Amino acid sequence: MHTQVGIIGAGPAGLFLGQLLDRAGISSVILESRSREAVESTIRAGVLEHWVVELMTELGIGERMHREAHFHDGITLQWEQQRYHLDVTELTDGKRVAVYPQHEVLKDLIAARLADQSETIFGVSEAAFHGVDTETPSITFRREGMGELETLRCDYVIGADGFHGPGRQMIPKSLRREYQKIYSFGWLGILTQAPQSWPELIYANQAQGFALLSTRSPDVQRMYIQCDPADDIANWSDARIWEQLHERLETDDDWSLTEGPIFQKGIIPLRSFVCEPMQYGRLFIAGDAAHIVPPTGAKGLNLAVADSVVLARALEAQFRHNNHALLDAYTNTCLRRVWKGERFAWFMTTMLHRADGDGDFEQRMQMADLDLIRTSRATATSIAENYIGLPFD
Ligand code: RFL
Ligand code: PHB
């Protein structure tokens, strides 16, 4: 079995790359360890930057998103029980973010890939890269329920395999530099069958810790509260979660949060991580395989798609014109923008959470940052530009 580009991982990075390669007439095979049903139902990110909406439209996979997404003109920041509307659209010449869940994006990408008859093999095990520093790299894998290992011979191989996948580990340790920050807090996230309580996302800084009010559909809402990352979800009864959400999102007027049955809940740790380089020989890594951000800036999925855009352009230059300059520049091109996403996610996280060891000084810094956003148009514009998605070089 031979393909031009062999990809491990059917997340946003792998599936966007596959779609972009299809459009450029370059063949690819995507190998994914989970089932299609699992990929299409795992709850993760919710916010698409302005240019990702445009990209989906250009790729012809935006129809359902345009119908079902919520387009938001801004976000609400809350501190000292008061709300401030950051008018992202006004501050960025009319750009809007879309609240459209990651798994819905993946459904649209998988449907398009099936229609194009490009191969995606779900449920594979033991996927492994070989010969990545040669001109004939390959991936071995086992299909679900099959006895023998198969070999996929490729011109290039891609690790779009998330933070725990095998891709990054193929870059020799002696060449790899990893930057990491682990936060002292995590997020407890819920899905609830309830109507929307507020027309846009609320990011709240509160004495008990951060809270985020987001949405999924008119009758399903997504909410998060800062918690101990080592805590057991079994310690969080629905009543306790609602009590904390009420307390952290409460305002000094008569607004109130509408409750509903909680049908999904879980705790995730928060980390910032960057791996350098993002390439070794004919292996390229993209998305969470190469970098992780805490979700406070809503950047993770968007950074993953950005890597795929850079990589698809570079592979096209190589296959069409035998020009490897863009492939050679892949790490630098991606990381220049990635570090700005890392900075924004870290900044939003630091401004909005209570970290272990933080005292009165850190809290006053947070209040000063928030008040600057409220009173300085230049500061507010900077937040809006980062939230909507920075331009590509
Ligand atoms: P993914 O999505 O992890 O996909 C990697 C895929 O590779 C597969 N895989 C393997 N397949 C075969 N063999 C192996 N050995 C394999 N190892 C791994 C996996 O099964 C998987 O399907 O990585 P990708 O494509 O880089 O995409 C990254 C995004 O998923 C991630 O950054 C975002 O979800 C982060 N994120 C958010 N990003 C945003 O832009 N906006 C948000 O609002 C946002 N909110 C969030 C988030 C992530 C969250 N969690 C759960 C961490 C909110 C949360 C709660
Ligand atoms: C979400 O809806 O899951 C979401 C929204 C904004 C974020 C993070 C997560 O910053």
Side-chain angles (χ1 to χ4, degrees), residues 8-14 31-34 39 43-47 102 124 127 160-162 165-166 222 224 268 286-289 295 298-302 304:
I8 298 187
L31 304 171
E32 166 60 50
S33 54
R34 295 184 300 152
V39 170
I43 307 296
R44 296 191 76 181
V47 178
Q102 175 165 327
V124 305
D161 47 358
R222 180 78 163 144
Y224 299 95
I268 56 155
D288 278 14
K299 289 283 155 263
L301 175 154
N302 295 292

Side-chain angles (χ1 to χ4, degrees), residues 90-104:
E90 196 255 327
L91 293 164
T92 60
D93 294 328
K95 299 192 178 82
R96 296 188 304 166
V97 292
V99 182
Y100 187 63
Q102 175 165 327
H103 65 279
E104 300 295 346

Side-chain angles (χ1 to χ4, degrees), residues 63-291:
E63 198 214 327
R64 199 166 64 93
M65 174 202 54
H66 280 288
R67 240 183 310 124
E68 295 180 13
H70 298 241
F71 288 89
H72 288 193
D73 294 339
I75 54 172
T76 297
L77 295 172
Q78 176 171 331
W79 68 103
E80 293 176 335
Q81 297 194 322
Q82 296 196 359
R83 291 191 182 154
Y84 168 74
H85 167 69
L86 182 82
D87 195 334
V88 173
T89 301
E90 196 255 327
L91 293 164
T92 60
D93 294 328
K95 299 192 178 82
R96 296 188 304 166
V97 292
V99 182
Y100 187 63
Q102 175 165 327
H103 65 279
E104 300 295 346
V105 177
L106 299 185
K107 278 186 205 167
D108 297 340
L109 283 160
I110 290 168
R113 203 170 158 80
L114 284 175
D116 293 343
Q117 298 189 323
S118 294
E119 193 153 17
T120 313
I121 309 175
F122 292 96
V124 305
S125 55
E126 297 168 59
F129 294 106
H130 304 276
V132 299
D133 56 348
T134 70
E135 303 216 325
T136 53
S138 63
I139 305 176
T140 53
F141 65 99
R142 202 182 300 278
R143 270 179 225 253
E144 199 170 8
M146 298 294 219
E148 78 282 14
L149 271 182
E150 294 179 46
T151 301
L152 175 65
R153 290 176 299 104
C154 314
D155 297 325
Y156 291 90
V157 288
I158 315 298
D161 47 358
F163 186 66
H164 301 287
R168 186 173 66 254
Q169 313 304 332
M170 296 304 294
I171 303 173
K173 263 207 162 112
S174 57
L175 300 178
R176 212 184 328 141
R177 180 146 187 210
E178 298 184 343
Y179 303 81
Q180 176 155 260
K181 178 176 172 65
I182 310 259
Y183 297 85
S184 61
F185 41 82
W187 277 15
L188 187 163
I190 63 155
L191 282 170
T192 176
Q193 194 80 38
Q196 251 184 310
S197 292
W198 189 250
E200 57 191 20
L201 272 62
I202 302 176
Y203 291 84
N205 175 313
Q206 207 266 347
Q208 302 278 317
F210 171 77
L212 169 59
L213 184 77
S214 181
T215 185
R216 283 293 177 269
S217 68
D219 35 44
V220 174
Q221 311 310 319
R222 180 78 163 144
M223 303 176 197
Y224 299 95
I225 47 178
Q226 169 183 349
C227 68
D228 177 351
D231 206 347
D232 186 341
I233 193 68
N235 294 328
W236 286 86
S237 65
D238 292 2
R240 183 176 172 208
I241 294 172
W242 284 118
E243 185 221 326
Q244 282 299 312
L245 280 164
H246 281 291
E247 191 155 336
R248 297 182 195 194
L249 291 166
E250 181 175 89
T251 49
D252 57 9
D253 56 23
D254 56 5
W255 177 87
S256 73
L257 176 66
T258 308
E259 292 187 18
I262 294 175
F263 61 90
Q264 208 245 15
K265 57 183 170 182
I267 292 175
I268 56 155
L270 263 58
R271 107 170 59 221
S272 297
F273 174 88
V274 177
C275 167
E276 192 183 278
M278 292 169 60
Q279 176 209 356
Y280 178 61
R282 287 185 171 229
L283 165 81
F284 294 80
I285 58 174
D288 278 14
H291 40 76

Side-chain angles (χ1 to χ4, degrees), residues 53-67:
V53 170
E54 287 188 337
L55 176 65
M56 287 180 68
T57 312
E58 275 163 35
L59 289 171
I61 53 162
E63 198 214 327
R64 199 166 64 93
M65 174 202 54
H66 280 288
R67 240 183 310 124

